[in-house]
Amino acid sequence: MLSGVRIINVDVPRSMQYKVTDYNKKSRLVTSTEKLFSLQNFRQRGPEALAQEFRQIQDEKLKVNKEFYIVLQDALAAGAKRSDLLKVMKERGISSKNAFKLLRGQNIPYTGYEGRMDKRLKDAQKFARENNEIANRNYFYPKLDFKKIVREYKNKKLNVVEPKETTIEEPKEPSFNFDNIKNIFGNASIQTPPLPNMPQPVVQTARANVNPNTNLTRTQEALLSPEEKVIASRTT
């Protein structure tokens, strides 16, 4: 061996056999404990709830696919050939079509639901007959919703990090502490100039309804005696 040259001999295909087996196991476990296919609490689990449960399954399958995609990329970086990886995956039950998708970073959504959902619908119809009820097909198996979700996850990429949902908080009203507000022209205090000298107001007493001939008001002329009128005309 030449000095300074490090030779690494890694049997990548052999180690991949265990990785592929683990991937297949995790893919099966995605729906092993799901209540989606049972009639448990069916009166509270309508089409919207079923679609949400089905989406959760797809999220878990996407996670498993992403983890395996990283394993494949690590194997390629370590020197494994694509042809060897494809061969190992095919030997472990992964179709050539899906193996190519995994290597290209394309998601493979969970699609093994149709038979189990058909059975769920039949069980619901049987239960309905026994209880003199009618089982709505879409209620127990929203097929169109499921197909739409499958198409959505089919277009997801394994080499893309899904953005996390962020909650946008509404801006809060600013709280002012008027004791700490500074003069906008600096820290100097604001000098208020004194008001100029203003003349004193002159109050004039209005003489309303005074008869210029008698110098008496209309009320005085109506109520006073002649003697009192003379006195009042002099003082008014």
Side-chain angles (χ1 to χ4, degrees):
M1 183 176 67
L2 298 176
S3 176
V5 178
R6 183 182 179 189
I7 300 178
I8 302 177
N9 184 13
V10 180
D11 191 354
V12 177
R14 181 180 296 276
S15 63
M16 280 301 301
Q17 293 176 359
Y18 301 102
K19 297 293 185 180
V20 175
T21 300
D22 183 64
Y23 167 74
N24 289 334
K25 179 181 178 181
K26 290 180 178 179
S27 296
R28 290 191 298 268
L29 289 176
V30 165
T31 59
S32 62
T33 58
E34 293 297 332
K35 64 178 181 180
L36 174 65
F37 308 108
S38 71
L39 293 179
Q40 178 183 353
N41 298 328
F42 71 87
R43 298 190 188 277
Q44 290 77 38
R45 293 168 57 226
E48 293 183 0
L50 295 176
Q52 182 61 31
E53 293 173 11
F54 187 63
R55 186 177 292 276
Q56 291 173 356
I57 291 177
Q58 296 296 352
D59 284 335
E60 187 64 26
K61 185 64 163 58
L62 176 63
K63 178 182 177 182
V64 173
N65 289 336
K66 283 186 174 182
E67 292 175 351
F68 188 60
Y69 171 77
I70 295 175
V71 171
L72 293 174
Q73 295 305 306
D74 289 344
L76 291 172
K81 296 180 180 180
R82 289 173 61 90
S83 57
D84 291 337
L85 296 178
L86 290 169
K87 180 180 179 181
V88 173
M89 284 189 280
K90 185 176 181 180
E91 291 175 349
R92 288 292 185 271
I94 300 177
S95 67
S96 298
K97 179 180 179 180
N98 287 341
F100 276 110
K101 286 183 177 181
L102 291 170
L103 283 171
R104 288 195 297 262
Q106 293 179 257
N107 185 43
I108 304 173
Y110 169 72
T111 56
Y113 62 89
E114 294 184 354
R116 301 174 71 177
M117 289 302 294
D118 284 334
K119 182 179 183 303
R120 183 180 193 270
L121 177 59
K122 291 180 180 178
D123 292 342
Q125 291 172 337
K126 179 182 178 182
F127 178 87
R129 288 193 301 269
E130 293 173 350
N131 292 272
N132 296 322
E133 296 178 341
I134 299 176
N136 183 286
R137 295 181 62 87
N138 186 69
Y139 183 89
F140 290 96
Y141 181 12
K143 183 179 294 187
L144 294 180
D145 292 340
F146 279 28
K147 288 184 179 297
K148 181 179 179 180
I149 294 174
V150 169
R151 288 195 299 269
E152 175 188 342
Y153 280 81
K154 186 178 181 180
N155 295 325
K156 290 184 179 293
K157 302 298 182 182
L158 303 180
N159 57 349
V160 176
V161 178
E162 296 291 334
K164 294 183 178 180
E165 295 184 359
T166 57
T167 303
I168 301 178
E169 296 184 358
E170 295 184 359
K172 297 181 179 179
E173 291 290 337
S175 57
F176 293 106
N177 184 352
F178 290 96
D179 295 334
N180 296 329
I181 296 179
K182 295 182 179 179
N183 179 11
I184 60 175
F185 298 104
N187 294 326
S189 59
I190 300 176
Q191 300 295 330
T192 304
L195 295 175
N197 294 328
M198 302 294 290
Q200 294 295 328
V202 178
V203 180
Q204 297 181 349
T205 303
R207 301 178 66 191
N209 301 322
V210 176
N211 188 337
N213 296 324
T214 62
N215 201 29
L216 297 174
T217 65
R218 187 176 301 174
T219 303
Q220 289 172 325
E221 290 180 349
L223 299 179
L224 297 179
S225 64
E227 293 81 5
E228 291 173 335
K229 291 179 181 179
V230 173
I231 298 172
S233 63
R234 295 174 180 173
T235 60
T236 302

